[in-house]
Amino acid sequence: LMCAILISYYLFKYWGRIPLFYMITHSGNALEVVKMREEVTKVSVHFWEGYLFEWGRAFLLPSLMSMAFVSWRLTHKLRWFGWFVLSFAAAIFFASLSTAKFPVVFVFVVLIVAGLIVYGIRNSLRLMPVIIVVVLSYPVFERVMKYGVGFIDALKFIVWERVFVVPITALSLYFKFFPLDDGFLLGRSVRLLSVLLGKEYFNVANYVFRMKEPSRVDTGLTNAAFIGNLYADYGVFGVLIGSFLVGIFLQILQVAIVRREKNPISVAIYAFLFVLFMKIAIVQFPVLLLGGGGILAILALIVFAPPVSNEVKK
């Protein structure tokens, strides 16, 4: 119900300006699609709306989809299959409205991880060609429609440049443009931390985007692996210590999940968190916890997956 309300509110607010619909009807008009996406994701979005939209498309719908999928495979009941199809379609639809590639890929990969948990890795290997095609389908489609390029060119860009070249290039810019003249940011790159420190928030991704080359879109972002923000804040010391602390946190979370009750909800949340924290390769860590829905998922895990008792362990 919450997801249906969120999608309806999004469609009502941005009707006539939704990037996906414009891209489909105006193939090759990349600049207008980008401007429209910036408007509906940053310019005209209130602080609370941004969080709600992101939690809906990144956490709620993919988790509901995984939960329904696991329940269907365990019980073989038709009603769970229906909920799975409905939530999967809604998750893909909502994630694709902004034309951003990763939100759609995120939904597919969360489902794939849930499938690996249910069927096992060995039984899933024979489906690997299908999995690869499914994951690449939307990014290639978006590239073809947005830029009006051919299928082969779009596939080459997604498989090679988008996966290998673009992330490395973006990360190198963080080490090029920082520190600033007055030194490193010392926590100002994280909005919540800057508020707690009483300092002005510094949007690192937007700063790097504007510095790398002149653009007609001032609100763009150049996101990079989480160590980029650690360097912008605290230099090499921040990269070394911050990476160590992130590793400790992820391992503690992994152990905590394994030691909790296994049910469709906990499996769905595990699949979500597994894919979410893969995004540290392109997004700073605090953003995943707050904006990405990591904190919500951990809280849901605590509520719906109690620790396994000692009797059960024995």
Side-chain angles (χ1 to χ4, degrees), residues 233-283:
D233 273 318
Y234 303 107
V236 175
F237 177 80
V239 173
L240 295 176
I241 302 300
S243 300
F244 184 71
L245 294 176
V246 168
I248 290 177
F249 174 84
L250 293 180
Q251 184 60 23
I252 291 174
L253 183 61
Q254 167 85 358
V255 172
I257 293 175
V258 170
R259 292 178 178 177
R260 303 188 84 84
E261 180 182 291
K262 306 301 182 297
N263 56 49
I265 298 179
S266 64
V267 171
I269 294 175
Y270 177 83
F272 166 77
L273 289 173
F274 183 93
V275 183
L276 177 73
F277 290 121
M278 288 172 59
K279 290 177 66 176
I280 62 173
I282 58 174
V283 181

Coordinates of all heavy atoms in Angstrom, one line a residue, residues 233-283:
D233 N 37.5 13.9 2.6 CA 37.4 14.3 3.9 C 38.6 14.3 4.8 O 38.9 15.2 5.5 CB 36.3 13.4 4.6 CG 34.9 13.9 4.4 OD1 34.7 15.1 4.5 OD2 34.0 13.0 4.2
Y234 N 39.4 13.2 4.7 CA 40.5 13.0 5.6 C 41.8 12.6 4.9 O 42.8 12.2 5.6 CB 40.2 12.0 6.7 CG 38.9 12.3 7.4 CD1 37.7 11.6 7.2 CD2 38.9 13.4 8.4 CE1 36.6 12.0 7.9 CE2 37.8 13.7 9.1 CZ 36.6 13.0 8.9 OH 35.5 13.3 9.6
G235 N 41.9 12.6 3.6 CA 43.1 12.2 2.9 C 43.4 10.7 3.0 O 42.5 9.9 3.2
V236 N 44.7 10.4 2.8 CA 45.1 9.0 2.7 C 44.8 8.3 4.1 O 44.4 7.1 4.1 CB 46.6 8.8 2.4 CG1 47.0 7.4 2.5 CG2 46.8 9.4 1.0
F237 N 44.9 9.0 5.2 CA 44.6 8.5 6.5 C 43.1 8.1 6.6 O 42.8 7.0 7.1 CB 44.9 9.5 7.6 CG 44.5 9.1 9.0 CD1 45.4 8.3 9.7 CD2 43.3 9.5 9.5 CE1 45.0 7.9 11.0 CE2 43.0 9.1 10.8 CZ 43.8 8.3 11.5
G238 N 42.2 8.9 6.0 CA 40.8 8.5 6.0 C 40.5 7.3 5.1 O 39.7 6.5 5.5
V239 N 41.3 7.1 4.0 CA 41.1 6.0 3.2 C 41.5 4.7 3.9 O 40.7 3.7 3.9 CB 41.9 6.1 1.9 CG1 41.8 4.8 1.1 CG2 41.4 7.3 1.0
L240 N 42.6 4.7 4.6 CA 43.1 3.5 5.3 C 42.2 3.1 6.5 O 41.7 2.0 6.6 CB 44.5 3.7 5.7 CG 45.6 3.9 4.6 CD1 46.9 4.3 5.2 CD2 45.7 2.7 3.7
I241 N 42.0 4.1 7.3 CA 41.2 3.8 8.5 C 39.7 3.6 8.2 O 39.1 2.7 8.7 CB 41.3 5.0 9.6 CG1 42.8 5.2 9.9 CG2 40.5 4.7 10.8 CD1 43.4 4.0 10.6
G242 N 39.2 4.4 7.3 CA 37.8 4.3 6.9 C 37.5 3.0 6.3 O 36.4 2.4 6.6
S243 N 38.3 2.5 5.4 CA 38.1 1.2 4.7 C 38.1 0.1 5.8 O 37.3 -0.8 5.7 CB 39.2 1.0 3.7 OG 39.1 2.0 2.7
F244 N 39.0 0.2 6.7 CA 39.1 -0.8 7.8 C 37.8 -0.8 8.6 O 37.3 -1.9 8.9 CB 40.3 -0.5 8.7 CG 40.6 -1.5 9.8 CD1 41.1 -2.8 9.4 CD2 40.3 -1.2 11.1 CE1 41.3 -3.7 10.4 CE2 40.5 -2.1 12.1 CZ 41.1 -3.4 11.8
L245 N 37.3 0.3 9.0 CA 36.1 0.4 9.8 C 34.9 -0.1 9.0 O 34.0 -0.8 9.6 CB 35.9 1.9 10.2 CG 36.9 2.4 11.2 CD1 36.6 3.9 11.5 CD2 36.9 1.6 12.5
V246 N 34.8 0.3 7.7 CA 33.7 -0.2 6.9 C 33.7 -1.8 6.8 O 32.7 -2.4 6.9 CB 33.8 0.4 5.5 CG1 32.8 -0.3 4.5 CG2 33.4 1.9 5.5
G247 N 34.9 -2.3 6.7 CA 35.0 -3.8 6.6 C 34.6 -4.4 7.9 O 33.9 -5.5 7.9
I248 N 34.9 -3.8 9.0 CA 34.5 -4.4 10.3 C 33.0 -4.3 10.4 O 32.3 -5.3 10.9 CB 35.1 -3.5 11.5 CG1 36.6 -3.8 11.6 CG2 34.4 -3.9 12.8 CD1 37.3 -3.0 12.6
F249 N 32.4 -3.2 10.0 CA 30.9 -3.0 10.1 C 30.2 -4.1 9.3 O 29.3 -4.7 9.7 CB 30.5 -1.6 9.7 CG 29.0 -1.5 9.6 CD1 28.3 -1.1 10.7 CD2 28.4 -1.6 8.3 CE1 26.9 -1.0 10.6 CE2 27.0 -1.4 8.2 CZ 26.3 -1.1 9.4
L250 N 30.7 -4.3 8.0 CA 30.0 -5.2 7.1 C 30.2 -6.7 7.6 O 29.3 -7.5 7.5 CB 30.7 -5.1 5.7 CG 30.4 -3.8 5.0 CD1 31.0 -3.8 3.6 CD2 28.9 -3.6 4.8
Q251 N 31.3 -7.0 8.2 CA 31.5 -8.4 8.8 C 30.6 -8.6 10.0 O 30.0 -9.7 10.1 CB 33.0 -8.6 9.1 CG 33.3 -10.0 9.6 CD 32.9 -11.1 8.5 OE1 32.9 -10.8 7.4 NE2 32.7 -12.3 9.0
I252 N 30.5 -7.6 10.8 CA 29.6 -7.7 12.0 C 28.2 -7.9 11.5 O 27.4 -8.8 12.1 CB 29.7 -6.5 12.9 CG1 31.1 -6.4 13.6 CG2 28.6 -6.5 13.9 CD1 31.3 -5.2 14.4
L253 N 27.8 -7.2 10.5 CA 26.4 -7.3 10.0 C 26.2 -8.7 9.4 O 25.1 -9.3 9.5 CB 26.2 -6.2 8.9 CG 24.8 -6.1 8.3 CD1 23.7 -5.9 9.4 CD2 24.7 -5.0 7.2
Q254 N 27.2 -9.1 8.6 CA 27.1 -10.5 8.0 C 26.9 -11.5 9.1 O 26.0 -12.4 8.9 CB 28.4 -10.7 7.2 CG 28.5 -12.2 6.8 CD 27.8 -12.5 5.5 OE1 27.2 -11.7 4.9 NE2 28.0 -13.7 5.0
V255 N 27.7 -11.5 10.1 CA 27.6 -12.5 11.2 C 26.2 -12.4 11.9 O 25.6 -13.4 12.2 CB 28.7 -12.3 12.2 CG1 28.5 -13.2 13.4 CG2 30.1 -12.6 11.5
A256 N 25.8 -11.2 12.1 CA 24.5 -10.9 12.8 C 23.3 -11.5 12.0 O 22.4 -12.1 12.5 CB 24.3 -9.5 13.1
I257 N 23.4 -11.3 10.7 CA 22.3 -11.9 9.8 C 22.3 -13.4 9.8 O 21.2 -14.0 9.9 CB 22.5 -11.3 8.4 CG1 22.2 -9.8 8.3 CG2 21.5 -12.0 7.4 CD1 22.5 -9.2 7.0
V258 N 23.5 -14.0 9.7 CA 23.6 -15.5 9.7 C 23.0 -16.1 11.0 O 22.5 -17.2 10.9 CB 25.0 -15.9 9.4 CG1 25.2 -17.4 9.6 CG2 25.5 -15.5 8.0
R259 N 23.2 -15.4 12.1 CA 22.8 -15.9 13.4 C 21.3 -15.6 13.7 O 20.9 -15.9 14.8 CB 23.7 -15.4 14.5 CG 25.1 -15.9 14.4 CD 26.0 -15.3 15.4 NE 27.3 -15.8 15.4 CZ 28.4 -15.4 16.1 NH1 28.1 -14.5 17.1 NH2 29.6 -15.9 16.0
R260 N 20.6 -15.1 12.7 CA 19.2 -14.8 13.0 C 18.3 -15.8 12.3 O 18.7 -16.5 11.4 CB 18.8 -13.3 12.6 CG 19.7 -12.3 13.3 CD 19.2 -10.9 13.0 NE 18.1 -10.5 13.9 CZ 18.3 -10.0 15.1 NH1 19.5 -9.9 15.6 NH2 17.2 -9.7 15.8
E261 N 17.0 -15.8 12.7 CA 16.1 -16.7 12.1 C 15.9 -16.6 10.6 O 15.9 -15.5 10.1 CB 14.7 -16.5 12.8 CG 13.6 -17.4 12.3 CD 12.3 -17.1 12.9 OE1 12.2 -17.3 14.1 OE2 11.4 -16.6 12.2
K262 N 15.9 -17.7 9.9 CA 15.7 -17.7 8.4 C 14.2 -17.8 8.1 O 13.6 -18.8 8.4 CB 16.5 -18.9 7.8 CG 18.0 -19.0 8.2 CD 18.7 -17.7 7.8 CE 20.2 -17.8 8.2 NZ 20.5 -17.9 9.6
N263 N 13.7 -16.8 7.4 CA 12.4 -16.8 6.9 C 12.3 -16.0 5.7 O 13.3 -15.3 5.3 CB 11.4 -16.3 8.0 CG 11.8 -14.9 8.5 OD1 12.0 -14.0 7.7 ND2 11.8 -14.7 9.8
P264 N 11.2 -15.9 4.9 CA 11.2 -15.2 3.7 C 11.6 -13.7 3.8 O 12.2 -13.1 3.0 CB 9.7 -15.3 3.2 CG 9.3 -16.6 3.8 CD 10.0 -16.7 5.1
I265 N 11.2 -13.1 5.0 CA 11.6 -11.7 5.2 C 13.1 -11.5 5.4 O 13.7 -10.6 4.8 CB 10.8 -11.1 6.3 CG1 9.3 -11.1 6.0 CG2 11.2 -9.7 6.6 CD1 8.4 -10.6 7.2
S266 N 13.7 -12.3 6.2 CA 15.1 -12.2 6.5 C 15.9 -12.5 5.3 O 17.0 -11.9 5.0 CB 15.5 -13.1 7.7 OG 15.3 -14.5 7.3
V267 N 15.5 -13.5 4.5 CA 16.2 -13.8 3.2 C 16.1 -12.6 2.2 O 17.1 -12.3 1.6 CB 15.6 -15.1 2.6 CG1 16.2 -15.3 1.2 CG2 16.0 -16.3 3.4
A268 N 14.9 -12.0 2.2 CA 14.7 -10.9 1.3 C 15.6 -9.7 1.7 O 16.2 -9.0 0.9 CB 13.3 -10.5 1.3
I269 N 15.7 -9.5 3.0 CA 16.5 -8.3 3.5 C 18.0 -8.6 3.3 O 18.8 -7.8 3.0 CB 16.2 -8.1 5.0 CG1 14.7 -7.6 5.1 CG2 17.1 -7.1 5.6 CD1 14.2 -7.4 6.5
Y270 N 18.4 -9.9 3.5 CA 19.8 -10.3 3.3 C 20.1 -10.0 1.8 O 21.2 -9.5 1.5 CB 20.0 -11.7 3.6 CG 21.4 -12.2 3.3 CD1 22.4 -12.0 4.3 CD2 21.7 -12.9 2.2 CE1 23.7 -12.4 4.0 CE2 23.0 -13.3 1.9 CZ 24.0 -13.1 2.8 OH 25.3 -13.5 2.5
A271 N 19.3 -10.4 0.9 CA 19.5 -10.2 -0.5 C 19.7 -8.7 -0.8 O 20.5 -8.3 -1.6 CB 18.4 -10.8 -1.4
F272 N 18.8 -7.9 -0.2 CA 18.8 -6.5 -0.4 C 20.1 -5.9 0.1 O 20.8 -5.1 -0.6 CB 17.6 -5.8 0.3 CG 17.8 -4.3 0.4 CD1 17.6 -3.5 -0.6 CD2 18.2 -3.8 1.7 CE1 17.7 -2.1 -0.5 CE2 18.4 -2.4 1.8 CZ 18.1 -1.6 0.7
L273 N 20.5 -6.2 1.3 CA 21.7 -5.7 1.9 C 23.0 -6.2 1.2 O 23.9 -5.4 1.0 CB 21.8 -6.1 3.4 CG 20.8 -5.4 4.3 CD1 20.9 -6.1 5.7 CD2 21.1 -3.9 4.4
F274 N 22.9 -7.4 0.7 CA 24.1 -7.9 -0.1 C 24.3 -7.1 -1.3 O 25.5 -6.7 -1.6 CB 23.8 -9.4 -0.5 CG 24.9 -10.1 -1.2 CD1 25.8 -10.8 -0.5 CD2 25.0 -9.9 -2.6 CE1 26.8 -11.5 -1.2 CE2 26.0 -10.6 -3.3 CZ 27.0 -11.3 -2.6
V275 N 23.3 -6.7 -2.0 CA 23.4 -5.9 -3.2 C 23.7 -4.5 -2.9 O 24.5 -3.8 -3.6 CB 22.2 -6.1 -4.2 CG1 22.4 -5.3 -5.5 CG2 21.9 -7.5 -4.5
L276 N 23.0 -4.0 -1.8 CA 23.2 -2.6 -1.5 C 24.6 -2.2 -1.2 O 25.1 -1.2 -1.7 CB 22.3 -2.3 -0.2 CG 22.5 -0.8 0.3 CD1 21.8 0.2 -0.6 CD2 21.9 -0.8 1.8
F277 N 25.3 -3.1 -0.4 CA 26.7 -2.7 0.0 C 27.7 -3.0 -1.1 O 28.9 -2.7 -1.0 CB 27.0 -3.4 1.3 CG 26.3 -2.9 2.5 CD1 25.5 -3.6 3.3 CD2 26.4 -1.5 2.8 CE1 24.8 -3.1 4.3 CE2 25.7 -1.0 3.8 CZ 24.9 -1.7 4.6
M278 N 27.2 -3.7 -2.2 CA 28.1 -3.8 -3.4 C 28.3 -2.4 -4.0 O 29.2 -2.1 -4.7 CB 27.5 -4.7 -4.4 CG 27.6 -6.2 -4.1 SD 26.6 -7.2 -5.2 CE 27.4 -6.8 -6.8
K279 N 27.3 -1.5 -3.7 CA 27.3 -0.1 -4.3 C 28.4 0.8 -3.7 O 28.6 1.9 -4.1 CB 25.9 0.5 -4.1 CG 24.8 -0.1 -5.0 CD 23.5 0.6 -4.7 CE 23.5 2.0 -5.1 NZ 22.1 2.6 -4.9
I280 N 29.1 0.3 -2.7 CA 30.2 1.1 -2.2 C 31.3 1.3 -3.3 O 32.2 2.1 -3.1 CB 30.9 0.5 -0.9 CG1 31.5 -0.9 -1.2 CG2 29.9 0.5 0.2 CD1 32.3 -1.4 0.0
A281 N 31.2 0.5 -4.3 CA 32.1 0.7 -5.5 C 31.8 2.0 -6.3 O 32.6 2.4 -7.0 CB 32.0 -0.5 -6.4
I282 N 30.6 2.5 -6.0 CA 30.2 3.7 -6.8 C 29.6 4.8 -5.9 O 29.3 5.9 -6.4 CB 29.3 3.4 -7.9 CG1 28.0 2.7 -7.4 CG2 29.9 2.5 -9.0 CD1 26.9 2.5 -8.4
V283 N 29.3 4.6 -4.7 CA 28.6 5.5 -3.8 C 29.3 5.5 -2.4 O 29.7 4.5 -1.9 CB 27.1 5.2 -3.7 CG1 26.4 6.2 -2.8 CG2 26.5 5.1 -5.0

